[in-house]
Amino acid sequence: MQFKKTWVLAANGAMARVFEFSKGHLNELEVLTHPETRMHGRDLVTDRPGSGSSFSGNGRSSMEPPATPQQNEAEHFAIEVARFLDLAHRKGSFQQLHIVASPAFLGLLRNTLHAETKKAVGVEVDKDLVEESPLQIRSYLP
């Protein structure tokens, strides 16, 4: 019986740790970071929201973006992580992928991973364990 080379991703909107799952242990291969996700919204946005006229009267209202700056940064980071994983999967670096991620970031990853990489996903755990030890992360996997 041939074993599949398995990677484990532990991630949230600001950090992603990539491990190789070998002989029941997790060996860290890569750490990706995106500190902008943790910044205050005022530090990420350079301009004030635009204003527009109200159709129902002569008042004006601010036009707010549909997502917060932190959410936008998390989406950018999810795209970056997905590209990293998609490239590694195409190169044959892993055949199976387990994902342990904060619930919001897990949703973003699901939306950004390439279809072929999605097929390699074995286990998904919706917990933010990115700061935990490899042993603790391993305890959530089969």
Side-chain angles (χ1 to χ4, degrees):
M1 180 172 142
Q2 186 175 357
F3 291 99
K4 293 180 179 181
K5 189 168 187 180
T6 302
W7 276 13
V8 175
L9 173 72
N12 60 26
M15 180 186 285
R17 296 170 67 194
V18 180
F19 300 90
E20 183 177 45
F21 191 43
S22 177
K23 299 178 184 174
H25 299 286
L26 297 180
N27 302 312
E28 193 165 52
L29 300 174
E30 188 82 32
V31 177
L32 306 170
T33 60
H34 194 76
E36 294 85 353
T37 306
R38 299 234 189 250
M39 294 174 72
H40 290 285
R42 67 181 177 271
D43 296 329
L44 292 170
V45 179
T46 57
D47 294 327
R48 294 174 54 190
S51 62
S53 298
S54 170
F55 291 108
S56 60
N58 50 3
R60 298 180 68 79
S61 66
S62 290
M63 296 169 61
E64 292 294 326
T68 67
Q70 290 88 352
Q71 289 168 327
N72 286 334
E73 290 301 325
E75 288 175 15
H76 293 300
F77 188 49
I79 291 167
E80 181 183 333
V81 171
R83 284 183 183 151
F84 174 84
L85 293 171
D86 292 339
L87 180 62
H89 187 251
R90 280 195 304 274
K91 287 182 176 177
S93 298
F94 66 90
Q95 289 79 41
Q96 186 172 47
L97 175 66
H98 299 322
I99 301 175
V100 180
S102 63
F105 197 71
L106 181 58
L108 292 173
L109 277 175
R110 284 181 186 139
N111 291 334
T112 55
L113 283 174
H114 187 273
E116 289 302 311
T117 306
K118 282 183 189 178
K119 289 179 188 176
V121 175
V123 175
E124 291 181 347
V125 178
D126 60 348
K127 287 200 172 290
D128 185 354
L129 301 176
V130 75
E131 299 284 342
E132 300 296 331
S133 69
L135 187 61
Q136 183 67 24
I137 295 166
R138 169 64 183 98
S139 72
Y140 283 86
L141 301 172

